[in-house]
């Protein structure tokens, strides 16, 4: 199973650099990372996501997920996603829980 992770960003900043490092450290060869610099292609973040989808469509991927440069994942987030896919392999969509975080790192809204 191969999963594409599309990461749109606007100019590399500290969030993007940290995300690059987290991706290198926590994502194995089951994942294909697709980083799209929206500034280089002269488009906004939504268009950069769509550009990432165009790239992903030419790859041999089973699933696609999105990650923004300012997102933070729990260490086992992708393991949980893979477990959900294993439990429901015919599901057209897997949705993960998320929280909005305050600048100090505590959650103020959980979904």
């Amino acid at each position: 199973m191969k999963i594409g992770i599309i990461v749109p960003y606007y100019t590399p900043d500290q969030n993007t650099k940290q995300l690059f490092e987290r991706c290198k450290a926590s994502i194995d060869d089951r994942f294909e990372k697709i980083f799209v610099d929206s500034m280089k292609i002269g488009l906004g973040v939504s268009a950069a996501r769509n550009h990432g989808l165009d790239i992903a469509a030419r790859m041999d991927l089973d699933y696609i997920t999105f990650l923004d440069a300012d997102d933070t994942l729990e260490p086992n987030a992708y393991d949980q996603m893979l477990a959900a896919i294993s439990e429901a392999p015919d599901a057209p969509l897997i949705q993960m829980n998320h929280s909005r975080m305050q600048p100090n790192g505590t959650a103020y809204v959980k979904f």
Side-chain angles (χ1 to χ4, degrees):
M1 176 184 328
K2 197 75 158 176
I3 298 173
I5 302 172
I6 298 173
V7 184
Y9 65 94
Y10 183 79
T11 65
D13 62 7
Q14 191 59 35
N15 287 333
T16 308
K17 291 173 187 171
Q18 289 172 352
L19 180 64
F20 288 156
E21 294 304 314
R22 286 192 308 270
C23 283
K24 283 195 291 188
S26 63
I27 297 174
D28 58 37
D29 61 357
R30 297 172 293 182
F31 298 91
E32 190 69 45
K33 299 170 286 292
I34 304 167
F35 291 95
V36 183
D37 184 344
S38 61
M39 188 170 137
K40 278 189 179 177
I41 60 174
L43 302 169
V45 158
S46 294
R49 280 189 194 92
N50 290 337
H51 183 72
L53 282 171
D54 290 341
I55 294 168
R58 296 187 299 266
M59 303 170 84
D60 186 24
L61 300 172
D62 299 299
Y63 294 91
I64 296 171
T65 185
F66 296 95
L67 189 62
D68 289 331
D70 62 348
D71 289 349
T72 302
L73 291 174
E74 294 291 328
N76 64 346
Y78 284 119
D79 290 331
Q80 290 177 0
M81 183 178 72
L82 291 169
I85 290 169
S86 294
E87 291 172 16
D90 296 328
L93 175 74
I94 301 293
Q95 181 176 340
M96 299 169 63
N97 294 333
H98 68 280
S99 301
R100 293 190 188 255
M101 307 302 286
Q102 297 182 56
N104 69 4
T106 60
Y108 67 91
V109 179
K110 289 189 178 193
F111 296 92

